Amino acid sequence: MVTVDVALHRQRAEQVLPRPRLVIGGKELSDTSGGLFEHVNPATGLVQAEIPLAGPGEVDQAVAAARTAFEVWGGMRPAERRRLLTRFAQLIREHIPDFAAISPLENGVCVGGWAENVGTHIAEWTEYYAGWADKIEGMVGAAYSPHENVEYTLAEPYGVIGHIITWNSPALSLAMKIPPSLAAGNTVVIKPAESTPFSALLFADLAREAGIPDGVINVVTGLGDAGSALVTHPGVDKISFTGGPATARRIMADAALSLKPVLFELGGKSANLLFADTDLDTVVPYCAAFAMSNTGQGCALPTRLLVERPIYDEVVARVTGVVAHLPVGDPLDPATYIGPLIDAAARDRVEGVIDKAVQDGAGRLVYGGERLDADGWFVSPTVFADVDNNSDLAQREIFGPVLAITPFDTEDEAVALANDTEYGLSAYVQSRDIARVNRLVPRLKAGTVYVNPGPNPITSPATPFGGVGLSGFGREGGRAGLEEFIHVKGVGVGRV
Protein backbone atom coordinates (compact mmCIF):
# COMPACT_ATOMS: atom_id res chain seq x y z
CA MET A 1 0.00 0.00 0.00
CA VAL A 2 1.40 3.39 -1.03
CA THR A 3 0.20 6.33 1.04
CA VAL A 4 0.24 9.78 -0.56
CA ASP A 5 -0.56 13.02 1.24
CA VAL A 6 -3.16 14.36 -1.19
CA ALA A 7 -3.75 17.56 0.77
CA LEU A 8 -0.03 18.36 0.75
CA HIS A 9 0.16 17.76 -3.00
CA ARG A 10 -2.78 20.09 -3.58
CA GLN A 11 -1.24 22.77 -1.37
CA ARG A 12 2.17 22.50 -3.02
CA ALA A 13 0.62 22.68 -6.49
CA GLU A 14 -1.08 25.95 -5.59
CA GLN A 15 2.17 27.32 -4.19
CA VAL A 16 4.81 26.30 -6.72
CA LEU A 17 3.37 25.46 -10.15
CA PRO A 18 3.68 28.31 -12.66
CA ARG A 19 0.43 29.49 -14.20
CA PRO A 20 -0.27 27.39 -17.31
CA ARG A 21 0.06 29.45 -20.50
CA LEU A 22 1.96 29.82 -23.74
CA VAL A 23 4.83 32.31 -23.99
CA ILE A 24 5.17 33.87 -27.43
CA GLY A 25 7.31 36.93 -28.08
CA GLY A 26 6.98 38.00 -24.46
CA LYS A 27 3.19 37.72 -24.53
CA GLU A 28 1.29 35.18 -22.45
CA LEU A 29 -1.60 33.30 -24.03
CA SER A 30 -4.19 31.25 -22.14
CA ASP A 31 -6.99 31.28 -24.73
CA THR A 32 -5.56 28.98 -27.41
CA SER A 33 -6.78 27.05 -30.43
CA GLY A 34 -5.55 23.65 -29.24
CA GLY A 35 -7.98 23.37 -26.35
CA LEU A 36 -7.15 22.32 -22.80
CA PHE A 37 -5.27 19.34 -21.39
CA GLU A 38 -6.04 18.10 -17.88
CA HIS A 39 -2.76 17.67 -16.05
CA VAL A 40 -2.98 14.73 -13.65
CA ASN A 41 -0.64 14.45 -10.70
CA PRO A 42 1.04 11.03 -11.15
CA ALA A 43 1.17 10.39 -7.41
CA THR A 44 -2.48 11.14 -6.64
CA GLY A 45 -4.26 10.41 -9.92
CA LEU A 46 -6.08 13.73 -9.54
CA VAL A 47 -6.32 16.66 -11.97
CA GLN A 48 -4.28 19.56 -10.65
CA ALA A 49 -4.20 21.99 -13.61
CA GLU A 50 -5.65 22.71 -17.04
CA ILE A 51 -2.98 23.31 -19.66
CA PRO A 52 -3.78 25.53 -22.69
CA LEU A 53 -2.51 23.84 -25.83
CA ALA A 54 -1.03 25.41 -28.92
CA GLY A 55 -2.37 24.63 -32.35
CA PRO A 56 -0.65 25.38 -35.67
CA GLY A 57 -1.70 29.03 -35.41
CA GLU A 58 0.12 29.61 -32.14
CA VAL A 59 3.16 27.75 -33.45
CA ASP A 60 3.20 30.10 -36.44
CA GLN A 61 3.08 33.10 -34.09
CA ALA A 62 5.93 31.69 -32.00
CA VAL A 63 8.12 31.09 -35.04
CA ALA A 64 7.44 34.61 -36.28
CA ALA A 65 8.40 36.00 -32.87
CA ALA A 66 11.59 33.94 -32.86
CA ARG A 67 12.56 35.11 -36.35
CA THR A 68 12.07 38.74 -35.34
CA ALA A 69 14.08 38.23 -32.16
CA PHE A 70 16.87 36.51 -34.12
CA GLU A 71 17.68 39.83 -35.80
CA VAL A 72 18.49 41.18 -32.33
CA TRP A 73 19.95 38.12 -30.60
CA GLY A 74 21.91 36.80 -33.56
CA GLY A 75 23.35 40.24 -34.26
CA MET A 76 24.28 40.92 -30.64
CA ARG A 77 27.92 41.14 -29.61
CA PRO A 78 28.92 37.69 -28.31
CA ALA A 79 30.20 39.21 -25.07
CA GLU A 80 26.74 40.66 -24.44
CA ARG A 81 25.12 37.28 -25.03
CA ARG A 82 27.59 35.82 -22.55
CA ARG A 83 26.68 38.45 -19.98
CA LEU A 84 22.95 37.81 -20.34
CA LEU A 85 23.34 34.03 -20.25
CA THR A 86 25.53 34.32 -17.17
CA ARG A 87 22.85 36.39 -15.47
CA PHE A 88 20.28 33.81 -16.56
CA ALA A 89 22.38 31.04 -14.98
CA GLN A 90 22.64 33.02 -11.75
CA LEU A 91 18.86 33.34 -11.57
CA ILE A 92 18.43 29.63 -12.23
CA ARG A 93 20.84 28.91 -9.39
CA GLU A 94 18.82 31.16 -7.11
CA HIS A 95 15.67 29.21 -8.05
CA ILE A 96 17.07 25.69 -7.64
CA PRO A 97 14.51 24.97 -4.88
CA ASP A 98 11.69 26.00 -7.24
CA PHE A 99 12.73 23.52 -9.95
CA ALA A 100 13.01 20.84 -7.26
CA ALA A 101 9.53 21.67 -5.94
CA ILE A 102 7.95 21.53 -9.42
CA SER A 103 9.35 18.13 -10.40
CA PRO A 104 7.37 15.83 -8.06
CA LEU A 105 4.11 17.52 -9.05
CA GLU A 106 4.93 17.72 -12.74
CA ASN A 107 5.94 14.12 -13.41
CA GLY A 108 6.33 12.35 -10.07
CA VAL A 109 10.10 12.70 -9.68
CA CYS A 110 11.13 12.12 -6.07
CA VAL A 111 12.08 15.28 -4.22
CA GLY A 112 14.80 13.42 -2.30
CA GLY A 113 16.42 12.00 -5.44
CA TRP A 114 16.46 13.19 -9.05
CA ALA A 115 14.42 16.33 -8.28
CA GLU A 116 16.80 17.80 -5.73
CA ASN A 117 19.59 17.98 -8.30
CA VAL A 118 17.73 19.09 -11.40
CA GLY A 119 18.00 22.83 -10.77
CA THR A 120 21.74 22.52 -10.16
CA HIS A 121 22.14 20.73 -13.49
CA ILE A 122 20.24 23.46 -15.35
CA ALA A 123 22.41 26.13 -13.77
CA GLU A 124 25.63 24.25 -14.57
CA TRP A 125 24.68 23.68 -18.22
CA THR A 126 23.69 27.32 -18.65
CA GLU A 127 26.90 28.52 -17.00
CA TYR A 128 28.97 26.21 -19.17
CA TYR A 129 27.48 27.40 -22.45
CA ALA A 130 27.43 31.05 -21.36
CA GLY A 131 31.20 30.68 -21.31
CA TRP A 132 31.19 29.49 -24.91
CA ALA A 133 29.17 32.42 -26.25
CA ASP A 134 32.17 34.65 -27.01
CA LYS A 135 34.60 31.84 -27.90
CA ILE A 136 33.06 30.63 -31.15
CA GLU A 137 35.75 30.96 -33.79
CA GLY A 138 36.33 30.49 -37.48
CA MET A 139 39.65 29.63 -39.03
CA VAL A 140 41.95 30.90 -41.76
CA GLY A 141 42.97 28.44 -44.48
CA ALA A 142 46.38 28.17 -46.10
CA ALA A 143 45.63 26.20 -49.26
CA TYR A 144 46.87 28.99 -51.51
CA SER A 145 49.56 31.63 -51.36
CA PRO A 146 48.40 34.71 -49.42
CA HIS A 147 49.46 36.71 -52.46
CA GLU A 148 46.72 34.96 -54.48
CA ASN A 149 43.82 34.39 -52.11
CA VAL A 150 42.69 34.56 -48.47
CA GLU A 151 40.32 31.87 -47.24
CA TYR A 152 38.57 31.73 -43.90
CA THR A 153 35.42 30.38 -42.25
CA LEU A 154 32.58 31.93 -40.30
CA ALA A 155 30.73 29.97 -37.61
CA GLU A 156 27.14 31.17 -37.84
CA PRO A 157 23.90 30.33 -36.02
CA TYR A 158 21.17 28.50 -37.94
CA GLY A 159 18.44 30.97 -36.97
CA VAL A 160 15.38 29.46 -35.29
CA ILE A 161 15.67 26.07 -33.57
CA GLY A 162 12.58 24.04 -32.75
CA HIS A 163 13.05 22.02 -29.55
CA ILE A 164 10.65 19.20 -28.73
CA ILE A 165 11.19 18.36 -25.07
CA THR A 166 10.84 15.01 -23.36
CA TRP A 167 8.48 14.45 -20.41
CA ASN A 168 10.62 12.14 -18.26
CA SER A 169 13.16 14.81 -17.34
CA PRO A 170 11.92 18.06 -18.88
CA ALA A 171 14.15 20.42 -16.91
CA LEU A 172 17.31 18.49 -17.77
CA SER A 173 16.23 18.30 -21.42
CA LEU A 174 15.84 22.08 -21.44
CA ALA A 175 19.31 22.46 -19.95
CA MET A 176 20.91 20.21 -22.56
CA LYS A 177 19.27 21.94 -25.53
CA ILE A 178 18.52 25.60 -24.93
CA PRO A 179 21.77 27.10 -23.52
CA PRO A 180 23.96 25.87 -26.43
CA SER A 181 21.34 27.08 -28.92
CA LEU A 182 21.35 30.54 -27.37
CA ALA A 183 25.11 30.71 -26.92
CA ALA A 184 25.50 30.07 -30.65
CA GLY A 185 23.18 32.99 -31.41
CA ASN A 186 19.97 31.13 -32.28
CA THR A 187 16.48 31.79 -31.00
CA VAL A 188 14.19 28.94 -29.96
CA VAL A 189 10.63 27.67 -29.97
CA ILE A 190 10.17 25.07 -27.23
CA LYS A 191 7.36 22.53 -27.38
CA PRO A 192 7.17 20.79 -24.01
CA ALA A 193 5.14 17.64 -23.57
CA GLU A 194 1.57 18.46 -22.60
CA SER A 195 2.10 16.50 -19.37
CA THR A 196 5.18 18.49 -18.28
CA PRO A 197 4.95 22.19 -19.19
CA PHE A 198 5.82 23.75 -15.83
CA SER A 199 9.63 23.53 -15.86
CA ALA A 200 9.72 25.21 -19.28
CA LEU A 201 7.51 28.05 -18.06
CA LEU A 202 9.74 28.75 -15.06
CA PHE A 203 12.76 28.55 -17.38
CA ALA A 204 11.22 31.14 -19.74
CA ASP A 205 10.22 33.42 -16.85
CA LEU A 206 13.77 33.48 -15.51
CA ALA A 207 15.20 34.15 -18.98
CA ARG A 208 13.01 37.21 -19.30
CA GLU A 209 13.98 38.38 -15.81
CA ALA A 210 17.63 38.02 -16.82
CA GLY A 211 17.09 40.47 -19.68
CA ILE A 212 17.10 38.03 -22.56
CA PRO A 213 14.97 39.77 -25.22
CA ASP A 214 11.37 38.77 -25.78
CA GLY A 215 10.98 36.23 -28.56
CA VAL A 216 14.38 34.61 -28.01
CA ILE A 217 12.66 31.88 -25.96
CA ASN A 218 9.08 30.89 -26.83
CA VAL A 219 7.06 28.12 -25.17
CA VAL A 220 4.20 26.42 -27.02
CA THR A 221 2.91 23.39 -25.14
CA GLY A 222 0.94 21.19 -27.48
CA LEU A 223 0.03 17.80 -28.88
CA GLY A 224 1.16 16.10 -32.07
CA ASP A 225 -0.36 18.68 -34.40
CA ALA A 226 1.69 21.42 -32.73
CA GLY A 227 4.83 19.31 -33.03
CA SER A 228 4.18 18.64 -36.71
CA ALA A 229 3.53 22.34 -37.34
CA LEU A 230 6.86 23.18 -35.71
CA VAL A 231 8.79 20.57 -37.68
CA THR A 232 7.33 21.53 -41.05
CA HIS A 233 7.37 25.30 -40.54
CA PRO A 234 9.52 27.02 -43.17
CA GLY A 235 10.72 29.50 -40.56
CA VAL A 236 12.33 26.80 -38.42
CA ASP A 237 15.90 26.00 -39.42
CA LYS A 238 16.64 22.88 -37.33
CA ILE A 239 14.80 20.48 -35.02
CA SER A 240 16.13 18.99 -31.81
CA PHE A 241 14.05 16.18 -30.31
CA THR A 242 14.35 13.92 -27.29
CA GLY A 243 11.93 11.03 -27.11
CA GLY A 244 11.19 7.68 -28.70
CA PRO A 245 12.13 6.20 -32.08
CA ALA A 246 8.52 6.02 -33.33
CA THR A 247 8.00 9.76 -32.93
CA ALA A 248 11.47 10.44 -34.31
CA ARG A 249 10.59 8.61 -37.52
CA ARG A 250 7.55 10.84 -38.02
CA ILE A 251 9.62 13.95 -37.33
CA MET A 252 12.31 12.82 -39.75
CA ALA A 253 9.74 12.18 -42.47
CA ASP A 254 8.24 15.65 -41.96
CA ALA A 255 11.66 17.32 -41.85
CA ALA A 256 12.70 15.49 -45.02
CA LEU A 257 10.12 17.46 -47.03
CA SER A 258 12.36 20.52 -46.76
CA LEU A 259 15.61 18.64 -46.00
CA LYS A 260 15.64 20.25 -42.55
CA PRO A 261 18.44 18.99 -40.26
CA VAL A 262 17.48 17.17 -37.08
CA LEU A 263 19.14 16.15 -33.82
CA PHE A 264 17.71 13.05 -32.13
CA GLU A 265 18.39 11.80 -28.59
CA LEU A 266 16.22 8.71 -28.43
CA GLY A 267 15.79 5.60 -26.34
CA GLY A 268 18.23 3.11 -24.96
CA LYS A 269 18.63 -0.36 -23.53
CA SER A 270 21.96 0.18 -21.86
CA ALA A 271 24.08 -2.76 -20.73
CA ASN A 272 26.08 -2.67 -17.52
CA LEU A 273 29.02 -5.13 -17.59
CA LEU A 274 29.96 -6.28 -14.08
CA PHE A 275 33.20 -8.25 -13.72
CA ALA A 276 34.36 -10.41 -10.82
CA ASP A 277 37.27 -8.14 -9.92
CA THR A 278 34.98 -5.37 -8.66
CA ASP A 279 34.25 -4.40 -5.06
CA LEU A 280 30.72 -5.77 -4.78
CA ASP A 281 30.01 -3.82 -1.59
CA THR A 282 30.35 -0.60 -3.58
CA VAL A 283 29.32 -1.61 -7.08
CA VAL A 284 26.16 -3.65 -6.49
CA PRO A 285 24.21 -0.93 -4.61
CA TYR A 286 25.19 1.53 -7.34
CA CYS A 287 24.10 -0.79 -10.16
CA ALA A 288 20.79 -1.70 -8.53
CA ALA A 289 19.78 1.78 -7.41
CA PHE A 290 20.90 3.60 -10.54
CA ALA A 291 18.82 1.32 -12.76
CA MET A 292 15.75 2.19 -10.66
CA SER A 293 16.36 5.96 -10.44
CA ASN A 294 13.56 8.21 -11.68
CA THR A 295 11.39 5.06 -11.42
CA GLY A 296 13.31 3.62 -14.35
CA GLN A 297 12.10 6.40 -16.64
CA GLY A 298 15.45 7.33 -18.13
CA CYS A 299 16.78 6.61 -21.60
CA ALA A 300 20.38 5.98 -20.50
CA LEU A 301 19.77 4.00 -17.33
CA PRO A 302 21.67 0.67 -17.08
CA THR A 303 18.61 -1.57 -17.19
CA ARG A 304 20.49 -4.66 -18.44
CA LEU A 305 22.97 -5.99 -15.89
CA LEU A 306 25.45 -8.47 -17.42
CA VAL A 307 27.35 -10.34 -14.69
CA GLU A 308 30.44 -12.53 -14.90
CA ARG A 309 29.51 -16.12 -14.06
CA PRO A 310 31.68 -16.69 -10.92
CA ILE A 311 29.84 -13.94 -9.02
CA TYR A 312 26.47 -14.23 -10.75
CA ASP A 313 24.41 -15.88 -8.01
CA GLU A 314 25.84 -13.60 -5.33
CA VAL A 315 25.13 -10.50 -7.41
CA VAL A 316 21.53 -11.57 -8.09
CA ALA A 317 20.98 -12.05 -4.36
CA ARG A 318 22.62 -8.75 -3.47
CA VAL A 319 20.76 -6.79 -6.15
CA THR A 320 17.47 -8.26 -4.97
CA GLY A 321 18.27 -7.22 -1.41
CA VAL A 322 19.10 -3.66 -2.45
CA VAL A 323 15.98 -3.25 -4.59
CA ALA A 324 13.76 -4.71 -1.86
CA HIS A 325 14.89 -1.93 0.47
CA LEU A 326 14.47 1.02 -1.93
CA PRO A 327 11.65 3.11 -0.45
CA VAL A 328 8.60 3.36 -2.73
CA GLY A 329 6.00 6.01 -2.11
CA ASP A 330 5.03 9.66 -2.11
CA PRO A 331 7.51 11.67 -4.22
CA LEU A 332 7.10 14.60 -1.80
CA ASP A 333 8.55 12.47 1.00
CA PRO A 334 12.34 13.04 1.08
CA ALA A 335 12.86 9.40 2.09
CA THR A 336 11.21 8.05 -1.08
CA TYR A 337 13.48 6.71 -3.83
CA ILE A 338 10.93 5.25 -6.28
CA GLY A 339 7.81 7.23 -7.09
CA PRO A 340 4.96 6.83 -9.58
CA LEU A 341 5.11 6.35 -13.32
CA ILE A 342 4.04 9.31 -15.45
CA ASP A 343 0.45 8.18 -16.12
CA ALA A 344 -1.98 5.28 -16.09
CA ALA A 345 -1.01 4.24 -19.62
CA ALA A 346 2.64 3.93 -18.58
CA ARG A 347 1.70 1.86 -15.55
CA ASP A 348 -0.44 -0.47 -17.67
CA ARG A 349 2.31 -0.79 -20.28
CA VAL A 350 4.99 -1.68 -17.71
CA GLU A 351 2.65 -4.21 -16.11
CA GLY A 352 2.06 -5.73 -19.52
CA VAL A 353 5.79 -6.09 -20.18
CA ILE A 354 6.29 -7.81 -16.82
CA ASP A 355 3.35 -10.17 -17.29
CA LYS A 356 4.47 -11.10 -20.80
CA ALA A 357 8.01 -11.79 -19.61
CA VAL A 358 6.67 -14.16 -16.95
CA GLN A 359 4.32 -15.90 -19.38
CA ASP A 360 7.00 -16.28 -22.08
CA GLY A 361 9.66 -17.47 -19.65
CA ALA A 362 11.93 -14.62 -20.71
CA GLY A 363 13.55 -14.65 -17.28
CA ARG A 364 13.14 -15.68 -13.68
CA LEU A 365 11.14 -13.15 -11.66
CA VAL A 366 13.05 -12.74 -8.40
CA TYR A 367 11.45 -9.62 -6.99
CA GLY A 368 8.45 -7.34 -7.50
CA GLY A 369 6.34 -7.42 -10.61
CA GLU A 370 3.03 -6.16 -9.31
CA ARG A 371 0.90 -3.04 -9.28
CA LEU A 372 0.93 -1.31 -5.91
CA ASP A 373 -2.27 -0.34 -4.13
CA ALA A 374 -2.41 3.42 -4.61
CA ASP A 375 -4.43 6.18 -6.23
CA GLY A 376 -1.46 7.13 -8.41
CA TRP A 377 0.47 5.15 -10.98
CA PHE A 378 2.75 2.90 -8.94
CA VAL A 379 4.45 -0.38 -9.89
CA SER A 380 6.82 -2.20 -7.56
CA PRO A 381 10.52 -2.25 -8.51
CA THR A 382 11.11 -5.50 -10.38
CA VAL A 383 14.12 -7.75 -10.93
CA PHE A 384 14.41 -10.59 -13.44
CA ALA A 385 17.37 -12.98 -13.49
CA ASP A 386 18.53 -15.46 -16.15
CA VAL A 387 17.10 -13.18 -18.82
CA ASP A 388 17.16 -14.35 -22.43
CA ASN A 389 18.97 -11.63 -24.37
CA ASN A 390 16.67 -12.21 -27.36
CA SER A 391 13.52 -11.53 -25.34
CA ASP A 392 11.51 -8.31 -25.29
CA LEU A 393 12.60 -7.95 -21.68
CA ALA A 394 16.20 -7.51 -22.85
CA GLN A 395 15.58 -5.82 -26.20
CA ARG A 396 12.70 -3.43 -25.54
CA GLU A 397 12.99 -0.12 -23.70
CA ILE A 398 10.57 -0.57 -20.80
CA PHE A 399 10.79 2.89 -19.20
CA GLY A 400 9.85 1.55 -15.80
CA PRO A 401 11.53 0.13 -12.68
CA VAL A 402 12.52 -3.20 -14.24
CA LEU A 403 16.05 -4.64 -14.18
CA ALA A 404 17.10 -7.61 -16.35
CA ILE A 405 20.13 -9.66 -15.21
CA THR A 406 22.03 -12.04 -17.52
CA PRO A 407 25.24 -14.04 -16.93
CA PHE A 408 28.30 -14.17 -19.19
CA ASP A 409 31.50 -16.22 -19.19
CA THR A 410 34.02 -14.24 -21.26
CA GLU A 411 34.74 -10.67 -22.33
CA ASP A 412 33.79 -11.54 -25.88
CA GLU A 413 30.44 -12.89 -24.74
CA ALA A 414 29.83 -9.80 -22.59
CA VAL A 415 30.51 -7.49 -25.54
CA ALA A 416 28.33 -9.58 -27.85
CA LEU A 417 25.43 -9.47 -25.39
CA ALA A 418 25.85 -5.73 -24.78
CA ASN A 419 25.93 -4.94 -28.51
CA ASP A 420 23.10 -7.28 -29.43
CA THR A 421 20.46 -4.54 -29.50
CA GLU A 422 19.21 -1.95 -31.97
CA TYR A 423 19.94 0.76 -29.41
CA GLY A 424 23.31 2.36 -28.72
CA LEU A 425 22.95 5.20 -26.24
CA SER A 426 25.10 4.27 -23.24
CA ALA A 427 27.10 1.37 -21.85
CA TYR A 428 28.65 0.80 -18.43
CA VAL A 429 31.68 -1.18 -17.30
CA GLN A 430 32.42 -2.21 -13.69
CA SER A 431 36.01 -3.42 -13.41
CA ARG A 432 39.23 -2.49 -11.63
CA ASP A 433 41.32 -3.97 -14.45
CA ILE A 434 42.34 -0.92 -16.49
CA ALA A 435 43.67 -3.08 -19.32
CA ARG A 436 40.29 -4.75 -19.60
CA VAL A 437 38.53 -1.39 -19.54
CA ASN A 438 40.73 -0.11 -22.35
CA ARG A 439 39.96 -3.23 -24.39
CA LEU A 440 36.22 -2.99 -23.85
CA VAL A 441 35.48 0.70 -24.36
CA PRO A 442 36.24 0.76 -28.12
CA ARG A 443 34.27 -2.45 -28.67
CA LEU A 444 31.01 -1.31 -27.06
CA LYS A 445 28.42 0.05 -29.49
CA ALA A 446 27.31 3.14 -27.61
CA GLY A 447 27.55 6.90 -27.83
CA THR A 448 28.90 7.06 -24.29
CA VAL A 449 30.63 4.53 -22.03
CA TYR A 450 30.84 5.05 -18.27
CA VAL A 451 33.34 3.16 -16.12
CA ASN A 452 32.81 2.32 -12.41
CA PRO A 453 30.55 4.09 -9.89
CA GLY A 454 30.65 7.82 -9.48
CA PRO A 455 28.48 10.90 -9.90
CA ASN A 456 25.97 10.52 -12.71
CA PRO A 457 28.09 11.46 -15.77
CA ILE A 458 25.07 11.87 -18.03
CA THR A 459 24.45 15.31 -16.59
CA SER A 460 27.97 16.71 -17.09
CA PRO A 461 27.74 19.68 -19.48
CA ALA A 462 31.30 19.15 -20.69
CA THR A 463 30.73 15.55 -21.85
CA PRO A 464 29.06 14.96 -25.23
CA PHE A 465 25.98 12.77 -24.84
CA GLY A 466 24.06 10.98 -27.57
CA GLY A 467 23.62 7.68 -29.29
CA VAL A 468 24.08 5.51 -32.33
CA GLY A 469 21.67 3.15 -34.04
CA LEU A 470 18.09 3.38 -32.79
CA SER A 471 19.28 5.78 -30.07
CA GLY A 472 19.58 8.61 -32.56
CA PHE A 473 22.35 10.89 -33.77
CA GLY A 474 23.90 14.19 -32.82
CA ARG A 475 25.33 15.20 -29.46
CA GLU A 476 24.30 17.30 -26.49
CA GLY A 477 27.02 18.55 -24.17
CA GLY A 478 30.57 19.77 -24.66
CA ARG A 479 31.82 21.57 -27.72
CA ALA A 480 30.06 18.97 -29.87
CA GLY A 481 26.74 20.10 -28.35
CA LEU A 482 27.46 23.70 -29.28
CA GLU A 483 28.44 22.79 -32.83
CA GLU A 484 25.04 21.16 -33.36
CA PHE A 485 23.62 24.67 -33.51
CA ILE A 486 26.26 26.25 -35.75
CA HIS A 487 26.85 25.97 -39.47
CA VAL A 488 30.17 26.86 -41.06
CA LYS A 489 30.37 29.29 -43.97
CA GLY A 490 33.49 29.24 -46.13
CA VAL A 491 34.80 32.53 -47.51
CA GLY A 492 37.37 33.07 -50.23
CA VAL A 493 38.76 36.56 -50.91
CA GLY A 494 40.81 37.17 -54.01
CA ARG A 495 43.55 39.76 -54.41
CA VAL A 496 42.54 42.67 -56.59
Side-chain angles (χ1 to χ4, degrees), residues 202-409:
L202 176 57
F203 188 84
D205 289 344
L206 295 178
R208 189 176 193 187
E209 185 178 344
I212 292 175
D214 290 342
V216 171
I217 296 177
N218 305 274
V219 180
V220 287
T221 306
L223 302 176
D225 61 339
S228 181
L230 185 61
V231 172
T232 59
H233 200 292
V236 175
D237 300 291
K238 186 169 184 176
I239 293 292
S240 174
F241 167 71
T242 297
T247 302
R249 290 187 182 98
R250 294 194 294 271
I251 291 173
M252 192 172 224
D254 284 345
L257 298 174
S258 59
L259 298 181
K260 186 173 299 180
V262 294
L263 185 162
F264 287 155
E265 194 273 280
L266 307 178
K269 194 66 180 176
S270 301
N272 188 358
L273 283 59
L274 199 164
F275 288 87
D277 65 358
T278 56
D279 175 7
L280 296 185
D281 290 339
T282 300
V283 168
V284 170
Y286 162 82
C287 294
F290 189 23
M292 299 291 173
S293 61
N294 201 27
T295 317
Q297 298 173 120
C299 53
L301 295 178
T303 54
R304 288 190 297 149
L305 182 59
L306 310 181
V307 183
E308 195 169 13
R309 185 84 62 179
I311 58 171
Y312 180 74
D313 291 338
E314 181 180 359
V315 167
V316 170
R318 285 182 178 233
V319 166
T320 302
V322 171
V323 171
H325 288 88
L326 294 176
V328 182
D330 190 339
L332 287 182
D333 183 347
T336 298
Y337 188 81
I338 297 178
L341 294 163
I342 183 65
D343 55 29
R347 179 198 59 192
D348 294 345
R349 176 181 49 75
V350 171
E351 280 187 303
V353 171
I354 294 170
D355 291 344
K356 186 176 186 299
V358 172
Q359 292 168 8
D360 294 348
R364 173 168 54 94
L365 179 63
V366 295
Y367 186 80
E370 70 275 354
R371 176 187 298 196
L372 298 178
D373 185 12
D375 292 326
W377 322 125
F378 292 85
V379 172
S380 67
T382 301
V383 179
F384 282 90
D386 309 337
V387 173
D388 179 356
N389 205 57
N390 294 317
S391 66
D392 285 349
L393 190 61
Q395 294 293 327
R396 176 180 174 185
E397 185 179 43
I398 299 173
F399 239 57
V402 181
L403 177 61
I405 310 178
T406 300
F408 67 85
D409 291 300

